[in-house]
Amino acid sequence: MRTTSHRTHGARRALAGALLAGLTLLTPAGTAVADGPSASASASPAEDGAGPTEAGTTFRTATALDQGQTGTARASAGDYLYWVFPADAGQRPTVEATVKLPSSARSSTSTWQLDVYDGLRRRQACMYGHQTRKAAADAATVELSCVLRTVRSWSEPWASDPLPGSYYVRLTAVDLPAAGLGLPVGVEVKAVSKEQGGAHDVDGTLSEPLVPGVSVASAGETDAAQRVPSAGGPEDGWASGWWTDRWLWTVGGGVLAALAAVFGYSLTRGRGRPAHVPHGG
């Protein structure tokens, strides 16, 4: 009787310890839950630093920008300005732009807009941020931002989910009086990402990231590929697709299930053969 009680208590202590170990194992993956708009995005592996000092005027001439870099440009009010940066699976990009208006351009109000497109030139919706803002007549700067949805490793062909590849940033004035056209403005643009982890992982991967010219380059047509601008790729390469912290959930769940089965067996196997019952011949 005492031996059985000791075994039961020992099994319970072992199960409690295993549960604590399992929860510790699963903690890194469990914390990868999308937070609200008040959370600030952290920079990607690329260190924050000065970036290019010009901007393109079309998709094909977009200026490449690494995540964490600040791109600057001097342009004329009314121009379309383009940058392009890479974003990989599991990242939630945030694009921020600041337009500096000279005193000569503050005679009337103006409205500025920030748009983000993926490698297929599909406009991506902003989860949070100020995508469009109106500048008052006495405003010296206009600040815009766009927090995109988390980039997925794969999606249905009919869906418009963000996918790994190049992302184009377009900045322009959508409501500008005729007197303000052509006036000089200064622009700063920065793109950073926050890693979301396995909470947003899906099964399946793209054969190639949505980078303009990647299919041409893989076919050996390097001359044609060089004529198509792209944002390159992350410093550590594009995600291979096989590793994800969902593996931690799978392995941890399997361990906990096995321990629960052992504990359940220890409770239901009974006390064994009574001492006064002889062994059968």
Side-chain angles (χ1 to χ4, degrees):
M1 184 76 174
R2 181 177 300 175
T3 301
T4 303
S5 178
H6 284 317
R7 289 178 179 176
T8 302
H9 288 302
R12 290 176 178 174
R13 287 196 297 269
L15 180 61
L19 287 173
L20 290 176
L23 291 175
T24 303
L25 177 65
L26 297 178
T27 298
T31 56
V33 179
D35 49 3
S38 60
S40 59
S42 58
S44 64
E47 295 182 357
D48 186 11
T53 57
E54 59 181 7
T57 55
T58 65
F59 281 103
R60 294 187 62 85
T61 61
T63 299
L65 183 69
D66 292 332
Q67 288 197 34
Q69 285 186 325
T70 299
T72 59
R74 292 190 176 276
S76 299
D79 289 345
Y80 285 88
L81 306 178
Y82 290 82
W83 293 265
V84 56
F85 68 93
D88 207 353
Q91 295 182 341
R92 190 179 67 183
T94 298
V95 181
E96 299 175 346
T98 301
V99 182
K100 300 179 180 180
L101 304 172
S103 57
S104 58
R106 303 177 199 171
S107 58
S108 59
T109 60
S110 59
T111 303
W112 296 79
Q113 183 167 307
L114 179 70
D115 296 306
V116 182
Y117 300 82
D118 64 9
L120 298 178
R121 300 186 185 180
R122 302 177 302 181
R123 184 175 179 273
Q124 293 294 321
C126 300
M127 292 177 57
Y128 316 115
H130 301 280
Q131 185 179 6
T132 304
R133 267 193 164 179
K134 178 177 291 187
D138 57 346
T141 60
V142 182
E143 295 184 353
L144 304 99
S145 61
C146 176
V147 180
L148 298 176
R149 293 172 294 168
T150 302
V151 178
R152 298 160 60 94
S153 60
W154 182 84
S155 178
E156 294 288 348
W158 47 263
S160 61
D161 297 320
L163 295 171
S166 299
Y167 281 79
Y168 294 89
V169 179
R170 185 178 73 179
L171 178 65
T172 188
V174 295
D175 184 12
L176 191 66
L181 291 174
L183 293 177
V185 294
V187 178
E188 292 183 359
V189 173
K190 184 178 180 180
V192 295
S193 288
K194 182 173 182 178
E195 297 289 343
Q196 294 297 97
H200 296 267
D201 285 339
V202 296
D203 294 329
T205 57
L206 298 179
S207 58
E208 296 287 352
L210 300 181
V211 177
V214 65
S215 59
V216 178
S218 61
E221 302 177 22
T222 56
D223 293 339
Q226 291 176 356
R227 295 195 298 267
V228 182
S230 67
E235 288 187 348
D236 53 353
W238 296 101
S240 59
W242 71 271
W243 168 253
T244 168
D245 54 10
R246 291 175 65 186
W247 285 99
L248 299 178
W249 288 92
T250 302
V251 174
V255 171
L256 294 179
L259 292 175
V262 172
F263 178 69
Y265 172 75
S266 67
L267 294 178
T268 58
R269 66 179 178 176
R271 300 177 180 179
R273 182 186 301 276
H276 64 277
V277 177
H279 291 277

